[in-house]
Amino acid sequence: MSRTSLGTAQEPLAHTDTPDPDGRSKKRVRWNSDSMVEDDKQGDSEESSQDCKVGGSCPFIRLARIGCAYYNPVNFLIYVLEDTQETPQFDVTRTLLDQVFPDIFLVSSKADDRFIDLCMAASGGFFQIRPQKDFRPERGRNNLLSLGLLSDLPEEILDAPDPDASMEPRNAYEFMQRKRITGDDPTLRRWNASIRMSNFATLDMSPFALGSIGALLDYLIREKALGDLESEGIKGLDVRGIVNLSLDKTMQINADALFSLQVFENESHASIHSTKTKEGLSLFGTLDSTRTSLGRSLLRTWLLRPSLSLAVINARHDAVECFTRPENLDIANIMHSQLGGIKNVPRILSALKAGKATLANWQGLVKFTFHTAMLRDKLGELSMAGDVDIVKKLITALDIAAFREVGKAVNETIDWEESTLLQRVCIRPHIDEELDNRKHVYNGIDAVLSKVAEGISPTVPQSYATSLNVVYFPQLGETVSVAGFLVCVPMLEEWRSGDGIEVLDGWTFQDRCPISTFITRSHVYFKNDKMHDLDKHLGDLYPSIIDRELEIIHELAESVLPFAGAISEACDICAELDCLLCFAEAANQYNYSRPQMSEENVTNIKQGRHPLQEQTVDTFVPNDILIVGGAGIGSYPAVHVGEDDGDNNLMSEGVSVLGNSVVICTGANACGKVKETLDLGFAGVSCPYDPSFVPAESATLGIVDKIFTRVQTRESVSKVQSAFMIDLNQVSLALRNATARSLILLDEFGKGTAAAGSYGAGLFAGVLKHLLSRGSDCPKVIATTHFHELFSTGGALDPQNELPITFIHLEIMFATRGGEIIDSASSTTVTKGENITYLYRAVSGLSLESHAARCAQLFGVPTHVVQRAQYVTELLSVNELPKLLDEAISEEEQLDMDLASAVCQRFLEWDLETQEVSLGQVRARLAQVLGRDVDRTDEE
């Protein structure tokens, strides 16, 4: 194949321009008359649609999410866009099409019509609609696991000599390892593939991308089979790699990084019978004070797909800075309150287009026109807001004259009081003369019915009915075969006894109709010629009123829809304003500062904090950091920071300094290394990660294009990997995809391996050295470790080797029970009552002691156990294990050992081949070996 193929799985969005506020979207299904309504809280679904370019894959959208994959036949690579959030305007899809230029599109038969139209317009070649079953995630997974790229082990592993090949496997694990090396077992090949798949992309969390890959590979197999009759199927496809696809000007952050950084945190309902969730302690929960459903959706999009455009970030910072000015605080709060009155107007417009607008929809439209007018007035009161981008966009988009015309037309047409009373949309008087006449007749129908009843009453015998009424059922009429006008008389006792209901001449008993039963315990209903006459002239009066009101409402909707484009645009900008006002509120509440954005690849922070951790403790200790991307071995980029104020803190811009790309943090157990790693990492990326201010005193930040983490290992019984394998997958993903502008956070990588063999330490050092060897392409790395042997003289990361690494550690303090400070360097023993204080203060240099013994004592381990463990550890560190064998034992312990030795000796001397005459002789011999009486042995 000489062209490039794009396979995209797309899920139909709501026909509105945005998802509904309650998470529900109506889905239009191509080639199917059914409309389905789904709840996007149910999460990902397997339905998809895909576009494809020969040699690539396409987007997969469902309920505002998209996943994509495409194949390039030039370099034989599959590019994967992991599931991310899509906008109602298909911005991600448009960006993807601009980058990929697919030759072939594969689209699901259940794709959204608007998405299909977009792909057809962008298609320069082949366009095909495929069955939805081709885009199921499980099909994509099976296709991937069959690729030789994943299932076949590298040649260097298969060709490596096995020193134990001549020996028989000693256990099941060695047997499986031997089979795995040979690569002959199909089950093991699939096992290899399932493990190695995570090295390329986190597809377990991307069902839409998996569906795209499945449809793409199916298409490539069919195309290959047409030209090669001896095709080997999926295994025969020439795929040399799987690469994460990054969209232009958007940060790449996968599910593991989102989880580790706690960007989102869903808390389940307390009841096990409820599937509801709420946002817990997370960055999204901290920033989210949005007042509109569109604003909340946009905020989530910004956090899932952060912008990398300095122009966009600076424009948003300008807005937040404007809203946080003291003179603008009250105005900003009022503006935010006005946004609370704006409902999901795009959803309302969709209901208007479909002719299904409810009273609440019309009320929401009128409220929109009112609150936007109030909002426009408040924009003019903002101080120093003339150059703020969001303010200029709002002034342009809020066509108050047109919106006022819409609100006036709706308000003057709909009778709100009557509509609320009747629970349907009603029209005001004097809007339509014909409607007014019908309502006049209907409102006077009580008098007509009274006169008719008075005329019928003399013709009814007194014994038949003491009273009667003429009633009108508006839902009935001439069109339903049983008229709406009926004579109602009380039920007689003899009629209840079973003799039957007596019917007068000219009357017809109405026992039931297509809608209801006209008989109750107290009354029965009849029809006569007078009722038929009323049916003919007035029977359809009420339905005709409703029909005429529906016609007027339809005309009103037709007059409003020409303004739909302007209203939708204004709603989108109001959603952006909602998010920016949230950031301003968070900046004021949590004391965030505006960072200085830089085109240089630098992260320079003064007094940085973690936005979540500081909310959970009484006192938070901030710290500084300087880290420069691209400062690997042989590369020494200079960056501009502030002048030194004597405390190594960030200050005014203007001084060029050198920095390192790798920062290693050490310290005692439980001293907060993980939190410090996330603190520095979060402060360093929170500005480009979201347009909010940063939790720091001041900062100079460059753009971070990707974030990778090895912080938390999410194990599961459904995964075939061990905890260490999962860690390796996360690091492998980072090594394959990191650039000089990427950020990698590593916490205790390698701790799951055998420490005695230094495998973990070697892996940790090897990863850092590999990244440093990239030179100017070295990413920014913040790592923590307890592998202190790496930093000793001659160690792999010995500071004397002058590797471009910044070493920091978190200080701790030891004190006696009386408060006297202990020198931890000179004190090697643990004393009773000794306390350890974690200062959470990062200083330069290394900490080569984990203080595990003191931490154990602090957290309740008995002192004698701690002292013994410390003694054994010291002997192990100097290879003095024989001393443990020479330790003296007590007399009691010596006696027990002698007795046990004697029993063992007598047992070995027992000739088991001698045939015993009876069971009693065997017991006697056993008692002799154990040194017990025969009678006692029998009893036992």
Side-chain angles (χ1 to χ4, degrees):
M1 288 174 284
S2 60
R3 297 178 295 166
T4 304
S5 304
L6 175 69
T8 303
Q10 180 265 348
E11 175 181 20
L13 292 171
H15 187 57
T16 63
D17 293 334
T18 184
D20 295 347
D22 60 357
R24 294 184 179 273
S25 298
K26 184 174 181 180
K27 183 167 62 175
R28 298 175 60 197
V29 184
R30 192 176 181 86
W31 297 342
N32 191 334
S33 60
D34 297 334
S35 291
M36 292 177 287
V37 179
E38 298 192 357
D39 188 348
D40 95 71
K41 293 180 181 179
Q42 294 177 353
D44 303 341
S45 170
E46 298 176 359
E47 296 181 3
S48 64
S49 83
Q50 263 185 342
D51 331 335
C52 185
K53 196 181 165 186
V54 176
S57 60
C58 2
F60 179 171
I61 304 172
R62 175 170 184 116
L63 297 176
R65 297 193 69 194
I66 180 173
C68 162
Y70 77 90
Y71 176 75
N72 190 333
V74 177
N75 54 15
F76 306 104
L77 296 177
I78 290 179
Y79 294 84
V80 179
L81 175 65
E82 298 177 12
D83 291 5
T84 187
Q85 189 159 337
E86 176 61 291
T87 65
Q89 294 77 27
F90 298 102
D91 291 335
V92 177
T93 302
R94 296 177 192 276
T95 302
L96 177 68
L97 296 176
D98 291 340
Q99 286 185 227
V100 178
F101 301 107
D103 298 317
I104 295 176
F105 282 89
L106 301 180
V107 182
S108 169
S109 58
K110 290 193 175 182
D112 187 277
D113 291 341
R114 294 173 298 149
F115 177 78
I116 292 179
D117 294 341
L118 174 62
C119 295
M120 290 182 66
S123 175
F126 183 73
F127 186 88
Q128 186 179 92
I129 297 178
R130 300 293 304 167
Q132 186 271 338
K133 64 181 181 180
D134 289 355
F135 300 90
R136 292 179 298 176
E138 60 268 22
R139 187 165 186 165
R141 173 180 291 277
N142 291 334
N143 287 348
L144 265 180
L145 296 181
S146 300
L147 282 176
L149 169 72
L150 300 179
S151 61
D152 294 340
L153 290 175
E155 293 183 2
E156 57 267 24
I157 296 180
L158 295 176
D159 295 341
D162 186 358
D164 298 328
S166 60
M167 299 176 59
E168 290 295 327
R170 291 171 296 180
N171 51 46
Y173 178 77
E174 288 191 0
F175 176 78
M176 294 298 290
Q177 287 292 98
R178 188 75 53 79
K179 292 287 290 181
R180 185 177 67 85
I181 293 297
T182 60
D184 295 333
D185 191 300
T187 302
L188 290 177
R189 289 172 60 88
R190 188 177 180 85
W191 184 76
N192 291 333
S194 64
I195 292 177
R196 301 181 66 205
M197 184 172 64
S198 300
N199 294 353
F200 299 92
T202 54
L203 296 176
D204 287 337
M205 307 297 293
S206 301
F208 304 156
L210 272 176
S212 302
I213 295 174
L216 175 64
L217 292 178
D218 283 342
Y219 176 81
L220 295 176
I221 294 169
R222 288 193 299 269
E223 289 296 306
K224 185 176 179 62
L226 292 176
D228 184 3
L229 297 179
E230 298 181 358
S231 174
E232 300 180 26
I234 293 180
K235 185 178 180 181
L237 289 178
D238 196 351
V239 178
R240 300 182 180 178
I242 301 174
V243 179
N244 263 319
L245 177 63
S246 299
L247 297 178
D248 291 340
K249 297 184 178 180
T250 54
M251 179 188 293
Q252 176 184 331
I253 178 167
N254 59 24
D256 287 329
L258 288 172
F259 181 78
S260 298
L261 294 176
Q262 209 168 334
V263 179
F264 302 99
E265 182 70 26
N266 284 332
E267 292 185 356
S268 300
H269 195 276
S271 172
I272 62 174
H273 304 290
S274 176
T275 58
K276 295 182 179 180
T277 61
K278 68 175 183 178
E279 191 68 28
L281 181 63
S282 64
L283 177 63
F284 178 74
T286 299
L287 298 176
D288 180 28
S289 59
T290 53
R291 306 298 178 87
T292 66
S293 57
L294 297 181
R296 182 180 175 86
S297 176
L298 181 62
L299 177 60
R300 182 174 290 273
T301 300
W302 280 359
L303 295 183
L304 286 172
R305 196 171 58 254
S307 174
L308 299 184
S309 170
L310 282 177
V312 171
I313 294 174
N314 284 324
R316 292 172 180 171
H317 285 168
D318 291 339
V320 176
E321 184 176 34
C322 174
F323 298 143
T324 53
R325 292 180 181 276
E327 61 270 24
N328 290 335
L329 289 179
D330 292 338
I331 300 174
N333 291 333
I334 295 174
M335 291 171 60
H336 215 179
S337 299
Q338 294 296 337
L339 288 174
I342 298 178
K343 305 303 179 183
N344 192 338
V345 179
R347 180 189 180 190
I348 295 174
L349 295 175
S350 176
L352 293 181
K353 293 177 183 178
K356 299 180 179 179
T358 63
L359 179 63
N361 294 146
W362 289 107
Q363 289 174 335
L365 186 60
V366 173
K367 289 180 180 179
F368 167 79
T369 61
F370 171 77
H371 288 289
T372 50
M374 299 293 293
L375 187 64
R376 177 64 179 82
D377 292 339
K378 288 299 176 182
L379 289 175
E381 300 179 16
L382 288 172
S383 175
M384 301 181 68
D387 296 330
V388 177
D389 184 64
I390 186 66
V391 174
K392 292 189 291 185
K393 289 196 296 185
L394 276 172
I395 292 175
T396 303
L398 296 181
D399 189 351
I400 301 302
F403 296 167
R404 186 179 289 115
E405 181 180 345
V406 170
K408 181 180 179 181
V410 175
N411 199 43
E412 291 180 350
T413 302
I414 297 178
D415 189 332
W416 302 111
E417 294 183 2
E418 185 179 1
S419 299
T420 303
L421 180 63
L422 299 179
Q423 292 299 303
R424 62 178 181 83
V425 182
C426 301
I427 305 301
R428 290 181 182 274
H430 311 301
I431 298 298
D432 182 79
E433 183 177 356
E434 180 182 355
L435 178 62
D436 291 342
N437 292 334
R438 295 178 185 178
K439 285 189 174 182
H440 177 73
V441 175
Y442 180 74
N443 293 332
I445 202 171
D446 288 343
V448 174
L449 296 180
S450 296
K451 291 183 178 180
V452 173
E454 291 175 359
I456 297 175
S457 180
T459 64
V460 179
Q462 187 71 19
S463 60
Y464 188 83
T466 58
S467 64
L468 64 82
N469 291 310
V470 176
V471 296
Y472 174 53
F473 291 88
Q475 70 270 26
L476 304 180
E478 196 67 31
T479 58
V480 290
S481 74
V482 178
F485 290 92
L486 298 170
V487 178
C488 174
V489 299
M491 172 75 75
L492 299 179
E493 287 298 330
E494 55 267 27
W495 294 350
R496 301 177 190 271
S497 63
D499 294 337
I501 298 175
E502 182 182 355
V503 181
L504 298 178
D505 293 340
W507 286 28
T508 304
F509 173 56
Q510 303 295 307
D511 58 345
R512 90 176 32 249
C513 77
I515 297 179
S516 178
T517 300
F518 287 115
I519 184 170
T520 66
R521 308 192 75 160
S522 59
H523 292 83
V524 291
Y525 298 88
F526 301 90
K527 188 176 286 291
N528 58 18
D529 292 340
K530 191 63 176 179
M531 298 301 103
H532 286 296
D533 187 54
L534 289 175
D535 289 342
K536 182 177 180 181
H537 294 90
L538 300 177
D540 291 331
L541 177 60
Y542 188 77
S544 66
I545 292 174
I546 296 178
D547 291 342
R548 182 54 186 158
E549 286 184 327
L550 289 177
E551 292 176 1
I552 296 174
I553 291 297
H554 179 72
E555 294 173 0
L556 177 63
E558 291 294 328
S559 66
V560 170
L561 288 177
F563 300 95
I567 293 175
S568 296
E569 181 182 359
C571 285
D572 292 337
I573 299 176
C574 286
E576 185 176 347
L577 174 65
D578 195 7
C579 294
L580 295 175
L581 288 172
C582 285
F583 295 144
E585 183 176 330
N588 283 324
Q589 182 176 356
Y590 302 112
N591 192 28
Y592 293 170
S593 303
R594 176 172 183 171
Q596 177 66 41
M597 297 305 299
S598 173
E599 293 185 358
E600 296 181 321
N601 192 5
V602 59
T603 298
N604 195 1
I605 302 169
K606 176 182 178 181
Q607 299 297 285
R609 315 186 304 275
H610 193 291
L612 305 182
Q613 181 66 19
E614 68 175 346
Q615 298 180 43
T616 62
V617 295
D618 296 331
T619 303
F620 188 90
V621 180
N623 285 292
D624 304 343
I625 189 174
L626 171 63
I627 183 170
V628 179
I633 297 175
S635 177
Y636 309 100
V639 295
H640 294 282
V641 296
E643 296 179 358
D644 191 359
D645 63 355
D647 295 326
N648 295 323
N649 290 332
L650 176 71
M651 283 166 307
S652 60
E653 185 179 353
V655 176
S656 295
V657 298
L658 298 177
N660 296 322
S661 292
V662 177
V663 174
I664 296 181
C665 180
T666 56
N669 284 296
C671 70
K673 297 186 297 300
V674 178
K675 295 180 177 63
E676 181 65 17
T677 299
L678 295 178
D679 290 347
L680 302 178
F682 228 134
V685 302
S686 59
C687 182
Y689 184 75
D690 66 74
S692 173
F693 286 6
V694 296
E697 183 178 318
S698 60
T700 299
L701 302 176
I703 292 296
V704 176
D705 63 351
K706 302 174 185 177
I707 301 177
F708 301 97
T709 61
R710 206 317 309 158
V711 176
Q712 294 183 348
T713 304
R714 293 192 287 176
E715 296 184 74
S716 171
V717 295
S718 62
K719 293 184 178 181
V720 298
Q721 302 102 316
S722 65
F724 184 56
M725 287 182 180
I726 296 174
D727 293 351
L728 289 175
N729 283 332
Q730 293 176 345
V731 174
S732 175
L733 183 68
L735 295 178
R736 293 173 186 273
N737 296 279
T739 68
R741 285 195 173 272
S742 301
L743 175 68
I744 302 177
L745 304 178
L746 301 176
D747 173 51
E748 299 289 355
F749 172 60
K751 64 182 179 181
T753 58
S758 299
Y759 301 134
L763 280 170
F764 178 78
V767 168
L768 294 186
K769 283 193 171 183
H770 168 74
L771 294 173
L772 289 171
S773 67
R774 296 184 181 184
S776 59
D777 293 327
C778 179
K780 296 185 282 289
V781 182
I782 303 178
T784 68
T785 186
H786 275 308
F787 292 132
H788 300 133
E789 62 269 25
L790 295 174
F791 314 117
S792 59
T793 302
L797 300 179
D798 184 359
Q800 297 181 358
N801 294 338
E802 298 184 354
L803 291 172
I805 297 176
T806 299
F807 296 98
I808 62 174
H809 69 278
L810 295 181
E811 286 188 319
I812 58 175
M813 180 178 67
F814 292 102
T816 62
R817 179 174 295 177
E820 182 181 354
I821 304 298
I822 301 175
D823 185 1
S824 60
S826 59
S827 176
T828 59
T829 60
V830 180
T831 60
K832 187 174 182 180
E834 182 178 303
N835 295 320
I836 180 172
T837 302
Y838 300 104
L839 302 178
Y840 302 109
R841 185 172 59 200
V843 296
S844 61
L846 284 165
S847 173
L848 299 180
E849 175 59 54
S850 64
H851 302 287
R854 288 183 169 88
C855 294
Q857 185 184 40
L858 177 66
F859 293 108
V861 179
T863 302
H864 69 278
V865 176
V866 173
Q867 292 176 342
R868 175 64 179 175
Q870 190 173 26
Y871 172 71
V872 173
T873 301
E874 291 174 356
L875 293 181
L876 288 174
S877 64
V878 293
N879 296 321
E880 293 291 343
L881 288 179
K883 288 186 177 181
L884 296 176
L885 303 177
D886 297 337
E887 289 183 345
I889 61 177
S890 64
E891 293 183 0
E892 183 179 357
E893 292 174 337
Q894 183 64 49
L895 179 60
D896 289 340
M897 291 184 62
D898 292 341
L899 291 175
S901 177
V903 170
C904 292
Q905 184 64 33
R906 288 194 294 270
F907 185 80
L908 293 175
E909 293 174 352
W910 186 1
D911 185 6
L912 298 177
E913 295 181 356
T914 302
Q915 297 294 325
E916 301 293 347
V917 176
S918 65
L919 181 60
Q921 292 180 340
V922 173
R923 289 180 175 177
R925 178 58 178 167
L926 181 61
Q928 182 182 358
V929 170
L930 297 176
R932 300 179 180 179
D933 296 335
V934 176
D935 295 340
R936 179 183 173 188
T937 304
D938 292 339
E939 292 177 359
E940 295 179 352

